[in-house]
Amino acid sequence: MKAKDLPQSIDLPFGYKEWREKIERMIETAKFNAALHVNTDLLQLYWNIGNDILIKQKNEGWGSLVVDQLSADLGRKFPDDKGYSVRNLYYMRRFAEAYPDFPILQVPLAEFQDKPILPSTLKELTTEDKTVNIPLTVISWFHHISLLPKIVDISERAFYILEASRNGWSRDVMLNKYATDYMNSVGKTISNFKTTLPSPQSDLAKYSFRDPYVFNFLGTMALQHEKDIENRLAEKVTEFLLEMGRGFSYIGRQYKIVVDGEYYYMDILMYHVRLHCYVVVELKAVEFIPEFVSKLNFYISAVDEYIKGPDDNPTIGLLLCRDKSNTKAEFALRGITQPMGIAKYETEKLFNEVASALPTIEDIEKIIEDSENIPEKD
């Protein structure tokens, strides 16, 4: 009997669902490992070819024409393979030159001191001689050849390799993160996580949030109300979650909660699967003022009381403002016992760029004044 011929309703033995889910996880793991194996083999092949080209050119003085000839010969021998163009062969050479210790990239631990990487992750990758071993096979060939020409600093490139792997970024997403200075925004949220959350959850919370968040996918929103921004975030939830980072799941906007018989509406409610907690996001279309903290603190308490389950960790609040003073934000969080972070967000900069290029009222007045003072010709 084929699976499609099975009756719609069937009495299954106790524990079948859990057993089936276990089988599904086994299959998914096997597929993932198979994909990693294919990627590892391809990267190893390309490194071997690139290394051979390096050796021939450095040790035996072979010139660039040899690469052109090799590309043509490999193209005839393997007509169905598209990876042996002259450009790709030079990428292979560059790849082998950049990573002489393939399949790992070795970076001194000291160079990671200013990089936003979880201490536990760094500890796992660090050897006894204080060298951090970054696995190169965790991202694809296309990721590598995109990173090589853009990032010269080895430790910065290593950071993006780790983050692309950890977050499952495509090449385009990775390049977008680099373009928006992702590395220098991770862990920069003004927060009280260190005093309100136990270790290591406080570290994980710190590196789960950023400042600023870049919502360029919203378009030019400089003059619109926060409700409009909320609506657009809800419409573009995939992009929103991608910007928030791995682990965030979207529950809803204007999420209703009843406290003492009155209705209250939280801007955005999320759940973080790695932190195992709810995250209340309050969105403000203006600059941060200390009074915003009190309202968010109220929402965190309400979620902890009425929504959080016994297995959930304490709810975290995230206040997103158009702009903020770090000093004011730090002062506002002093004495707050609920875990909370304050960051700013950016939308499309086109409006500001255009506005800054336009003459001001003072400029126009000066132009008019100067024109009136020009002496008339005889």
Side-chain angles (χ1 to χ4, degrees):
M1 180 181 291
K2 296 180 180 180
K4 66 180 181 179
D5 297 327
L6 288 172
Q8 295 299 310
S9 178
I10 183 174
D11 291 330
L12 297 170
F14 176 77
Y16 170 81
K17 180 176 179 292
E18 291 75 12
W19 176 74
R20 187 205 68 216
E21 290 173 348
K22 176 185 175 183
I23 298 297
E24 289 171 349
R25 287 194 297 271
M26 289 170 56
I27 295 172
E28 289 171 348
T29 300
K31 286 183 176 181
F32 177 74
N33 289 337
L36 282 181
H37 183 67
V38 170
N39 185 60
T40 300
D41 289 348
L42 180 68
L43 290 178
Q44 183 68 68
L45 171 64
Y46 284 178
W47 186 90
N48 289 340
I49 294 173
N51 192 53
D52 268 13
I53 293 173
L54 269 176
I55 292 172
K56 292 299 183 184
Q57 291 188 331
K58 287 187 175 181
N59 296 348
E60 301 184 30
W62 289 13
S64 59
L65 290 178
V66 173
V67 178
D68 295 351
Q69 185 62 49
L70 179 63
S71 175
D73 291 339
L74 292 177
R76 283 190 292 270
K77 178 67 176 179
F78 306 102
D80 295 331
D81 294 353
K82 306 299 181 184
Y84 304 120
S85 67
V86 173
R87 173 182 288 186
N88 214 37
L89 289 176
Y90 275 111
Y91 273 133
M92 294 177 200
R93 181 188 187 280
R94 189 169 186 176
F95 182 66
E97 189 173 33
Y99 305 122
D101 300 308
F102 183 86
I104 60 172
L105 167 60
Q106 294 186 326
V107 185
L109 177 61
E111 295 188 21
F112 279 100
Q113 298 310 309
D114 61 338
K115 302 295 186 294
I117 299 176
L118 270 173
S120 57
T121 300
L122 209 52
K123 184 177 180 180
E124 290 175 6
L125 299 173
T126 303
T127 62
E128 292 182 358
D129 62 351
K130 303 299 181 182
T131 298
V132 182
N133 288 338
I134 308 297
L136 294 168
T137 58
V138 293
I139 60 174
S140 75
W141 171 248
F142 296 105
H143 284 78
H144 279 298
I145 63 176
S146 298
L147 282 177
L148 276 172
K150 287 189 175 296
I151 305 178
V152 176
D153 183 78
I154 295 296
S155 60
E156 183 177 357
R157 198 188 307 152
F159 169 80
Y160 280 100
I161 290 172
L162 287 175
E163 288 296 290
S165 170
R166 187 177 71 90
N167 293 291
W169 291 340
S170 67
R171 179 185 63 169
D172 289 346
V173 170
M174 178 190 70
L175 292 177
N176 178 263
K177 295 294 185 183
Y178 171 72
T180 55
D181 202 20
Y182 173 86
M183 186 182 74
N184 291 314
S185 68
V186 174
K188 297 300 176 63
T189 302
I190 301 297
S191 73
N192 60 359
F193 297 149
K194 190 172 182 179
T195 58
T196 58
L197 294 172
S199 181
Q201 190 184 16
S202 57
D203 287 332
L204 181 57
K206 176 182 178 180
Y207 293 116
S208 295
F209 295 90
R210 301 169 51 192
D211 186 19
Y213 288 90
V214 182
F215 298 149
N216 281 348
F217 55 86
L218 295 180
T220 305
M221 304 290 291
L223 297 179
Q224 302 207 30
H225 192 270
E226 52 210 44
K227 288 287 193 305
D228 298 314
I229 300 178
E230 288 174 31
N231 288 332
R232 291 291 294 278
L233 288 176
E235 292 170 3
K236 294 182 175 290
V237 66
T238 300
E239 292 91 338
F240 177 46
L241 289 174
L242 191 60
E243 178 61 17
M244 292 301 294
R246 185 183 181 188
F248 282 94
S249 58
Y250 179 81
I251 297 177
R253 62 170 294 272
Q254 289 299 298
Y255 197 89
K256 182 175 69 175
I257 193 167
V258 183
V259 179
D260 199 20
E262 291 189 40
Y263 293 113
Y264 294 89
Y265 297 88
M266 296 174 282
D267 288 347
I268 299 172
L269 183 63
M270 309 185 80
Y271 192 87
H272 199 286
V273 296
R274 298 183 71 200
L275 289 166
H276 300 290
C277 70
Y278 287 95
V279 178
V280 179
V281 180
E282 277 292 285
L283 189 68
K284 301 297 179 184
V286 295
E287 186 176 356
F288 168 79
I289 58 174
E291 288 85 343
F292 292 156
V293 170
S294 177
K295 184 177 181 181
L296 181 54
N297 191 57
F298 173 81
Y299 286 151
I300 294 172
S301 298
V303 172
D304 277 342
E305 182 69 22
Y306 298 117
I307 299 179
K308 183 176 84 72
D311 296 327
D312 294 323
N313 287 321
T315 302
I316 291 176
L318 175 63
L319 185 61
L320 291 177
C321 299
R322 178 65 75 174
D323 202 357
K324 76 177 192 313
S325 157
N326 286 350
T327 302
K328 290 179 182 177
E330 289 170 356
F331 284 178
L333 288 179
R334 288 187 185 178
I336 298 294
T337 59
Q338 309 274 29
M340 189 183 303
I342 303 171
K344 67 179 182 179
Y345 65 92
E346 299 173 355
T347 54
E348 180 59 58
K349 295 182 179 179
L350 178 62
F351 176 85
N352 292 329
E353 290 171 357
V354 171
S356 64
L358 294 173
T360 64
I361 296 296
E362 291 78 9
D363 292 333
I364 295 173
E365 289 176 345
K366 188 175 188 308
I367 292 171
I368 294 173
E369 181 181 339
D370 291 343
S371 65
E372 290 176 344
N373 293 330
I374 297 175
E376 294 183 3
K377 293 183 180 179
D378 294 335

